[in-house]
């Protein structure tokens, strides 16, 4: 289980506030990295998303643990990092929150399950799983069948075709 993860944003406070609202949680400052905020889901698993200022890098630093280094950048841009986030919030409210934030948001059919792609600051994808979508995802990723299912998943389709042509 992943309990928390971190992403970068141009406006970390606003991004954390929107994510916390989608999760039905709260946002608090993240003191170890000034200017960062922690969107807490307030569930029994300690789930949350740390949102750092754009340009933040984690670098190894010995026994005290990774250190935060800022390398200011112009803008952000797309990357490969994304995550799936189960929430108690229903799909229509997720879309309403994302729209109010000005973030791209679309419901997608991944075949065996659905997700709502919410693009934080229109750069970083979060696959939001309202309760009914989470049930589909969990049914498909059951420990006794997921390895076989992943091995036989189709490799064709518009998403993969774009990847091959890039």
């Amino acid at each position: 289980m992943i309990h928390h993860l971190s992403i970068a944003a141009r406006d970390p406070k606003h991004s954390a506030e929107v994510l916390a609202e989608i999760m039905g949680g709260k946002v608090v400052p993240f003191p170890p990295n000034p200017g960062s905020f922690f969107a807490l889901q307030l569930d029994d698993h300690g789930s949350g998303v740390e949102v750092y200022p754009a340009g933040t890098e984690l670098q190894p630093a010995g026994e005290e643990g990774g250190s935060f280094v800022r390398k200011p950048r112009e803008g952000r841009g797309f990357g490969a990092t994304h995550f799936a986030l189960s929430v108690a919030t229903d799909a229509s409210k997720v879309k309403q929150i994302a729209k109010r934030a000005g973030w791209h948001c679309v419901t997608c059919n991944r075949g065996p399950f659905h997700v709502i792609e919410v693009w934080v600051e229109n750069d970083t994808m979060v696959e939001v799983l309202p309760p009914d979508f989470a049930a589909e995802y969990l049914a498909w990723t059951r420990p006794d069948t997921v390895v076989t299912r992943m091995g036989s998943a189709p490799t064709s389709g518009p998403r993969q075709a774009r990847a091959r042509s890039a």
Side-chain angles (χ1 to χ4, degrees):
M1 168 183 299
I2 296 173
H3 295 284
H4 74 266
L5 53 89
S6 62
I7 63 171
R10 290 179 297 280
D11 187 343
K13 184 173 192 266
H14 179 254
S15 295
E17 288 169 344
V18 174
L19 288 168
E21 185 178 359
I22 288 171
M23 292 188 283
K26 300 282 183 196
V27 65
V28 297
F30 185 68
N33 187 19
S36 300
F37 293 85
F38 206 158
L40 301 166
Q41 190 154 354
L42 301 175
D43 62 9
D44 292 335
H45 305 289
S47 304
V49 180
E50 295 170 10
V51 185
Y52 302 158
T56 300
E57 292 182 359
L58 288 170
Q59 296 181 0
E63 289 183 17
E64 68 272 10
S67 63
F68 301 99
V69 177
R70 289 230 183 102
K71 295 186 175 183
R73 296 188 184 124
E74 200 60 38
R76 283 246 313 116
F78 301 115
T81 301
H82 79 283
F83 58 97
L85 178 67
S86 290
V87 299
T89 309
D90 68 57
S92 62
K93 185 165 183 180
V94 169
K95 291 178 180 183
Q96 176 187 41
I97 294 166
K99 182 178 182 177
R100 189 174 67 240
W103 296 352
H104 180 73
C105 175
V106 62
T107 300
C108 299
N109 183 344
R110 298 285 195 247
F113 56 89
H114 293 80
V115 302
I116 302 173
E117 285 187 1
V118 175
W119 289 79
V120 177
E121 292 188 333
N122 299 313
D123 289 332
T124 303
M125 180 179 50
V126 178
E127 293 175 322
V128 177
L129 303 168
D132 51 337
F133 291 5
E136 291 175 345
Y137 179 82
L138 292 172
W140 195 78
T141 59
R142 286 186 11 217
D144 61 332
T145 59
V146 69
V147 173
T148 302
R149 288 178 174 178
M150 289 298 289
S152 62
T155 57
S156 62
R159 294 175 77 204
Q160 293 82 8
R162 285 192 298 272
R164 285 192 296 267
S165 67

